[in-house]
Amino acid sequence: MIAPRLSRGLCLLVGLGLLAGACSPKPAATTTPTQSPSAGAVSPTVTASPTAIATTPSVSPTRASAPSPTTKPSPTPSRPAPATPATAPSTPAVAAVSLPKLGTYVYDLAGTTQSPLLGIAQPYQAGATLTIDVDETNPQAGGTEVGFRGTTSQDQVQTTTKQVYQGSRVVLTLTNLTFLGLASYDCSYVPPPEVLPIPLQAVTVPAQSWSGTQCAGSLQLTVQGPETATAAGQPWSVWRVHSVAHYVAQSSVDITLDTTSLFSPALGMAVSSDSTTSGKVAGSPFSSHQVTSLRSHP
């Protein structure tokens, strides 16, 4: 989200990046999407057939009994057309979002990385990982602030993100992007953009933007789901979150991060992501592509 490394796959979900994904609504237990039950069929009403009328013959003492008059057959009973089964109105699926547990989330990392400072693109080595540490939760007025710190085994970059889980949404409030030993960029988001709706539901959030002395930018967010994905050796009920973030800082950073993450509302974190980051840092263009998949979690 905020910079070449902010896209680290799990940062743009929730922190405007997969950090958001990693920081996004808590990955936790698998949540089964709510489905609207179908209303039972209504049994058709049947009208009883009218009773047949029998005629009793009169008997004469001196003559043989007259044969009984033939009984007139009863008319065929009429039956109303079967009632059409009632159908319950469709209820949109929603899912509660859990706060991510404190601890370390490790993701397998693939793709290519390019340092904006060195300008050399190279693939991630076999066994490369992205690590997201959820290291703090702070209750505050209006919600709970959660802190995330992301690093990779190959890139010399560290991303710190803070988000606040409110009653109806998760918002991004702060990020720091540090190129170890070279430069560091802070951003306080005013107003803080929404990175996830609560409860989680299929929705396109109206375009958002922020602007301040430290940074400016915009965010487009779309949520689709639910669906099932497998990661860390187990199935997860997930929602597909697509975000496109444009981030500008101090005239030195101009980056666009396009991320699609599969977010587990039970885990409160993304279980996988695919992100592309492109732009300029200190005038040097670069482009990176990261794909992540959850390996382990607290």
Side-chain angles (χ1 to χ4, degrees):
M1 84 180 243
I2 295 194
R5 227 46 340 94
L6 225 175
S7 76
R8 251 350 117 287
L10 282 185
C11 295
L12 195 100
L13 227 188
V14 167
L16 249 190
L18 202 94
L19 242 230
C23 333
S24 343
K26 330 35 193 108
T30 300
T31 301
T32 302
T34 303
Q35 297 182 340
S36 56
S38 300
V42 178
S43 301
T45 302
V46 178
T47 302
S49 59
T51 304
I53 301 175
T55 302
T56 304
S58 56
V59 179
S60 169
T62 59
R63 299 191 318 179
S65 300
S68 300
T70 302
T71 300
K72 197 172 184 180
S74 61
T76 301
S78 60
R79 296 170 180 265
T84 301
T87 301
S90 177
T91 301
V94 297
V97 174
S98 303
L99 281 174
K101 293 181 179 179
L102 293 175
T104 299
Y105 298 77
V106 179
Y107 297 80
D108 291 322
L109 178 61
T112 60
T113 179
Q114 179 179 2
S115 168
L117 303 180
L118 300 178
I120 302 173
Q122 56 185 329
Y124 283 106
Q125 299 174 359
T129 59
L130 163 69
T131 298
I132 301 293
D133 291 305
V134 179
D135 52 16
E136 62 175 325
T137 57
N138 301 308
Q140 57 182 237
T144 299
E145 180 184 71
V146 179
F148 306 83
R149 186 175 69 255
T151 57
T152 75
S153 57
Q154 187 167 330
D155 302 306
Q156 297 300 304
V157 179
Q158 177 175 290
T159 301
T160 299
T161 300
K162 290 188 178 182
Q163 300 174 353
V164 176
Y165 292 77
Q166 302 175 338
S168 62
R169 61 181 188 161
V170 178
V171 298
L172 177 65
T173 58
L174 175 71
T175 58
N176 169 266
L177 176 66
T178 297
F179 294 89
L180 302 181
L182 296 172
S184 181
Y185 301 94
D186 291 317
C187 182
S188 295
Y189 295 84
V190 181
E194 175 180 341
V195 294
L196 278 178
I198 295 180
L200 204 57
Q201 57 190 295
V203 66
T204 296
V205 177
Q208 306 171 82
S209 62
W210 63 91
S211 181
T213 57
Q214 297 174 311
C215 62
S218 62
L219 173 66
Q220 298 176 23
L221 180 71
T222 301
V223 181
Q224 297 178 321
E227 57 187 272
T228 301
T230 300
Q234 70 177 85
W236 301 88
S237 176
V238 298
W239 293 67
R240 187 175 297 270
V241 180
H242 178 230
S243 59
V244 178
H246 181 214
Y247 176 90
V248 178
Q250 306 168 6
S251 301
S252 298
V253 177
D254 189 330
I255 292 171
T256 296
L257 175 62
D258 189 321
T259 301
T260 296
S261 298
L262 296 182
F263 178 78
S264 165
L267 184 62
M269 300 282 283
V271 301
S272 67
S273 69
D274 188 322
S275 64
T276 299
T277 308
S278 60
K280 293 181 179 182
V281 173
S284 300
F286 76 99
S287 178
S288 297
H289 177 217
Q290 297 85 30
V291 177
T292 68
S293 180
L294 183 66
R295 174 190 293 185
S296 63
H297 59 92

Short mmCIF file of all heavy atoms in Angstrom, two decimals, residues 27-33 227-239 262-267 269-272 293-294 297:
data_model
loop_
_atom_site.label_atom_id
_atom_site.label_comp_id
_atom_site.label_asym_id
_atom_site.label_seq_id
_atom_site.Cartn_x
_atom_site.Cartn_y
_atom_site.Cartn_z
N PRO A 27 -8.05 -12.51 11.13
CA PRO A 27 -8.19 -13.86 10.63
C PRO A 27 -8.39 -14.73 11.82
O PRO A 27 -7.64 -14.68 12.73
CB PRO A 27 -6.87 -14.16 9.98
CG PRO A 27 -6.08 -12.95 10.11
CD PRO A 27 -6.80 -11.97 10.95
N ALA A 28 -9.35 -15.52 11.85
CA ALA A 28 -9.55 -16.37 12.99
C ALA A 28 -10.26 -17.59 12.57
O ALA A 28 -10.06 -18.09 11.52
CB ALA A 28 -10.35 -15.63 14.02
N ALA A 29 -11.18 -18.04 13.35
CA ALA A 29 -11.88 -19.26 12.98
C ALA A 29 -12.61 -19.06 11.69
O ALA A 29 -13.02 -17.97 11.37
CB ALA A 29 -12.85 -19.62 14.07
N THR A 30 -12.80 -20.13 10.97
CA THR A 30 -13.50 -20.02 9.69
C THR A 30 -14.94 -19.65 9.93
O THR A 30 -15.62 -20.21 10.77
CB THR A 30 -13.45 -21.36 8.95
OG1 THR A 30 -12.09 -21.68 8.73
CG2 THR A 30 -14.21 -21.26 7.66
N THR A 31 -15.41 -18.67 9.17
CA THR A 31 -16.80 -18.25 9.31
C THR A 31 -17.61 -18.78 8.14
O THR A 31 -17.24 -18.60 7.00
CB THR A 31 -16.89 -16.71 9.30
OG1 THR A 31 -16.10 -16.21 10.37
CG2 THR A 31 -18.33 -16.27 9.44
N THR A 32 -18.70 -19.46 8.47
CA THR A 32 -19.54 -19.97 7.39
C THR A 32 -20.50 -18.91 6.96
O THR A 32 -21.20 -18.33 7.77
CB THR A 32 -20.36 -21.19 7.89
OG1 THR A 32 -19.44 -22.17 8.35
CG2 THR A 32 -21.23 -21.73 6.77
N PRO A 33 -20.53 -18.56 5.66
CA PRO A 33 -21.43 -17.51 5.18
C PRO A 33 -22.87 -17.84 5.49
O PRO A 33 -23.31 -18.98 5.43
CB PRO A 33 -21.17 -17.48 3.67
CG PRO A 33 -20.61 -18.82 3.38
CD PRO A 33 -19.86 -19.24 4.60
N GLU A 227 -16.39 -17.22 -0.24
CA GLU A 227 -15.90 -18.37 -1.00
C GLU A 227 -14.96 -19.15 -0.08
O GLU A 227 -14.79 -18.79 1.09
CB GLU A 227 -15.16 -17.93 -2.27
CG GLU A 227 -13.99 -16.99 -2.03
CD GLU A 227 -13.42 -16.44 -3.34
OE1 GLU A 227 -12.52 -17.12 -3.90
OE2 GLU A 227 -13.86 -15.37 -3.79
N THR A 228 -14.40 -20.25 -0.58
CA THR A 228 -13.53 -21.08 0.25
C THR A 228 -12.13 -21.13 -0.36
O THR A 228 -11.97 -21.23 -1.57
CB THR A 228 -14.09 -22.51 0.37
OG1 THR A 228 -15.39 -22.46 0.95
CG2 THR A 228 -13.19 -23.37 1.25
N ALA A 229 -11.12 -21.04 0.52
CA ALA A 229 -9.73 -21.13 0.08
C ALA A 229 -8.98 -22.03 1.03
O ALA A 229 -9.38 -22.21 2.20
CB ALA A 229 -9.09 -19.74 0.06
N THR A 230 -7.88 -22.62 0.57
CA THR A 230 -7.06 -23.49 1.41
C THR A 230 -5.70 -22.85 1.63
O THR A 230 -5.05 -22.40 0.69
CB THR A 230 -6.88 -24.87 0.75
OG1 THR A 230 -8.16 -25.49 0.57
CG2 THR A 230 -6.02 -25.77 1.64
N ALA A 231 -5.28 -22.78 2.89
CA ALA A 231 -3.97 -22.21 3.24
C ALA A 231 -3.57 -22.77 4.60
O ALA A 231 -4.44 -23.12 5.42
CB ALA A 231 -4.04 -20.68 3.30
N ALA A 232 -2.28 -22.85 4.84
CA ALA A 232 -1.77 -23.38 6.10
C ALA A 232 -2.37 -24.75 6.41
O ALA A 232 -2.64 -25.08 7.57
CB ALA A 232 -2.04 -22.40 7.25
N GLY A 233 -2.63 -25.53 5.35
CA GLY A 233 -3.12 -26.89 5.54
C GLY A 233 -4.56 -27.04 5.94
O GLY A 233 -4.97 -28.12 6.39
N GLN A 234 -5.38 -26.00 5.75
CA GLN A 234 -6.79 -26.13 6.12
C GLN A 234 -7.65 -25.21 5.25
O GLN A 234 -7.16 -24.25 4.67
CB GLN A 234 -6.98 -25.79 7.59
CG GLN A 234 -6.80 -24.30 7.91
CD GLN A 234 -7.08 -23.99 9.37
OE1 GLN A 234 -6.19 -24.12 10.22
NE2 GLN A 234 -8.29 -23.60 9.67
N PRO A 235 -8.97 -25.52 5.15
CA PRO A 235 -9.87 -24.66 4.38
C PRO A 235 -10.30 -23.46 5.20
O PRO A 235 -10.41 -23.54 6.43
CB PRO A 235 -11.05 -25.60 4.07
CG PRO A 235 -11.07 -26.54 5.23
CD PRO A 235 -9.63 -26.77 5.61
N TRP A 236 -10.55 -22.35 4.52
CA TRP A 236 -10.99 -21.12 5.18
C TRP A 236 -12.17 -20.54 4.42
O TRP A 236 -12.20 -20.58 3.19
CB TRP A 236 -9.88 -20.07 5.19
CG TRP A 236 -8.62 -20.48 5.87
CD1 TRP A 236 -7.55 -21.14 5.31
CD2 TRP A 236 -8.26 -20.25 7.24
NE1 TRP A 236 -6.57 -21.34 6.24
CE2 TRP A 236 -6.97 -20.81 7.43
CE3 TRP A 236 -8.91 -19.64 8.32
CZ2 TRP A 236 -6.32 -20.76 8.67
CZ3 TRP A 236 -8.25 -19.59 9.54
CH2 TRP A 236 -6.97 -20.15 9.71
N SER A 237 -13.11 -20.00 5.15
CA SER A 237 -14.18 -19.22 4.53
C SER A 237 -13.61 -17.81 4.37
O SER A 237 -13.19 -17.19 5.36
CB SER A 237 -15.43 -19.18 5.42
OG SER A 237 -16.42 -18.35 4.85
N VAL A 238 -13.57 -17.32 3.13
CA VAL A 238 -12.89 -16.05 2.87
C VAL A 238 -13.76 -15.12 2.02
O VAL A 238 -14.74 -15.54 1.41
CB VAL A 238 -11.55 -16.28 2.14
CG1 VAL A 238 -10.61 -17.09 3.01
CG2 VAL A 238 -11.78 -17.00 0.79
N TRP A 239 -13.35 -13.87 1.99
CA TRP A 239 -13.98 -12.85 1.16
C TRP A 239 -12.90 -12.24 0.29
O TRP A 239 -11.79 -11.97 0.76
CB TRP A 239 -14.64 -11.78 2.03
CG TRP A 239 -15.81 -12.32 2.80
CD1 TRP A 239 -15.76 -13.24 3.82
CD2 TRP A 239 -17.18 -11.99 2.62
NE1 TRP A 239 -17.03 -13.50 4.27
CE2 TRP A 239 -17.92 -12.75 3.57
CE3 TRP A 239 -17.86 -11.13 1.76
CZ2 TRP A 239 -19.30 -12.67 3.66
CZ3 TRP A 239 -19.24 -11.05 1.85
CH2 TRP A 239 -19.96 -11.81 2.80
N LEU A 262 -7.51 -12.65 -0.22
CA LEU A 262 -8.59 -13.51 0.29
C LEU A 262 -8.53 -13.40 1.81
O LEU A 262 -7.61 -13.91 2.45
CB LEU A 262 -8.39 -14.95 -0.18
CG LEU A 262 -8.48 -15.16 -1.69
CD1 LEU A 262 -8.32 -16.64 -2.04
CD2 LEU A 262 -9.81 -14.63 -2.25
N PHE A 263 -9.52 -12.69 2.36
CA PHE A 263 -9.52 -12.35 3.78
C PHE A 263 -10.42 -13.28 4.57
O PHE A 263 -11.57 -13.51 4.20
CB PHE A 263 -9.98 -10.90 3.94
CG PHE A 263 -10.04 -10.46 5.36
CD1 PHE A 263 -8.90 -10.10 6.05
CD2 PHE A 263 -11.26 -10.41 6.03
CE1 PHE A 263 -8.96 -9.71 7.37
CE2 PHE A 263 -11.32 -10.02 7.35
CZ PHE A 263 -10.17 -9.66 8.03
N SER A 264 -9.90 -13.80 5.66
CA SER A 264 -10.68 -14.66 6.54
C SER A 264 -11.22 -13.84 7.69
O SER A 264 -10.45 -13.36 8.54
CB SER A 264 -9.81 -15.80 7.11
OG SER A 264 -10.47 -16.41 8.21
N PRO A 265 -12.55 -13.65 7.78
CA PRO A 265 -13.10 -12.87 8.88
C PRO A 265 -12.90 -13.56 10.22
O PRO A 265 -12.84 -12.91 11.26
CB PRO A 265 -14.58 -12.74 8.52
CG PRO A 265 -14.85 -13.86 7.58
CD PRO A 265 -13.58 -14.07 6.82
N ALA A 266 -12.78 -14.88 10.23
CA ALA A 266 -12.56 -15.60 11.48
C ALA A 266 -11.14 -15.41 11.98
O ALA A 266 -10.89 -15.28 13.17
CB ALA A 266 -12.85 -17.09 11.28
N LEU A 267 -10.19 -15.42 11.05
CA LEU A 267 -8.79 -15.22 11.41
C LEU A 267 -8.48 -13.74 11.62
O LEU A 267 -7.58 -13.36 12.35
CB LEU A 267 -7.90 -15.77 10.30
CG LEU A 267 -6.39 -15.74 10.53
CD1 LEU A 267 -6.01 -16.60 11.73
CD2 LEU A 267 -5.65 -16.20 9.30
N MET A 269 -7.40 -11.93 9.31
CA MET A 269 -6.25 -11.67 8.45
C MET A 269 -6.50 -12.29 7.08
O MET A 269 -7.35 -13.16 6.92
CB MET A 269 -4.99 -12.31 9.05
CG MET A 269 -4.61 -11.81 10.43
SD MET A 269 -3.80 -10.20 10.39
CE MET A 269 -2.16 -10.66 9.87
N ALA A 270 -5.72 -11.84 6.11
CA ALA A 270 -5.79 -12.45 4.78
C ALA A 270 -5.06 -13.79 4.83
O ALA A 270 -4.06 -13.93 5.54
CB ALA A 270 -5.15 -11.54 3.75
N VAL A 271 -5.55 -14.77 4.06
CA VAL A 271 -4.84 -16.04 3.98
C VAL A 271 -4.00 -16.12 2.71
O VAL A 271 -3.11 -16.97 2.59
CB VAL A 271 -5.82 -17.24 4.04
CG1 VAL A 271 -6.61 -17.21 5.35
CG2 VAL A 271 -6.77 -17.25 2.85
N SER A 272 -4.26 -15.23 1.75
CA SER A 272 -3.42 -15.15 0.55
C SER A 272 -3.62 -13.80 -0.11
O SER A 272 -4.60 -13.09 0.18
CB SER A 272 -3.76 -16.27 -0.45
OG SER A 272 -5.06 -16.08 -0.98
N SER A 293 0.90 -16.67 0.55
CA SER A 293 -0.02 -17.71 1.01
C SER A 293 0.32 -18.04 2.46
O SER A 293 1.51 -18.26 2.79
CB SER A 293 0.11 -18.97 0.15
OG SER A 293 -0.78 -19.97 0.61
N LEU A 294 -0.67 -18.03 3.33
CA LEU A 294 -0.45 -18.25 4.75
C LEU A 294 0.21 -19.60 5.02
O LEU A 294 -0.25 -20.63 4.55
CB LEU A 294 -1.79 -18.18 5.50
CG LEU A 294 -1.73 -18.31 7.03
CD1 LEU A 294 -1.01 -17.11 7.63
CD2 LEU A 294 -3.15 -18.43 7.59
N HIS A 297 0.17 -19.40 11.70
CA HIS A 297 -0.47 -18.28 12.42
C HIS A 297 -0.56 -18.63 13.89
O HIS A 297 -0.41 -19.79 14.28
CB HIS A 297 -1.87 -18.02 11.82
CG HIS A 297 -2.79 -19.20 11.88
ND1 HIS A 297 -3.65 -19.42 12.94
CD2 HIS A 297 -2.97 -20.24 11.02
CE1 HIS A 297 -4.32 -20.53 12.73
NE2 HIS A 297 -3.94 -21.06 11.57
#
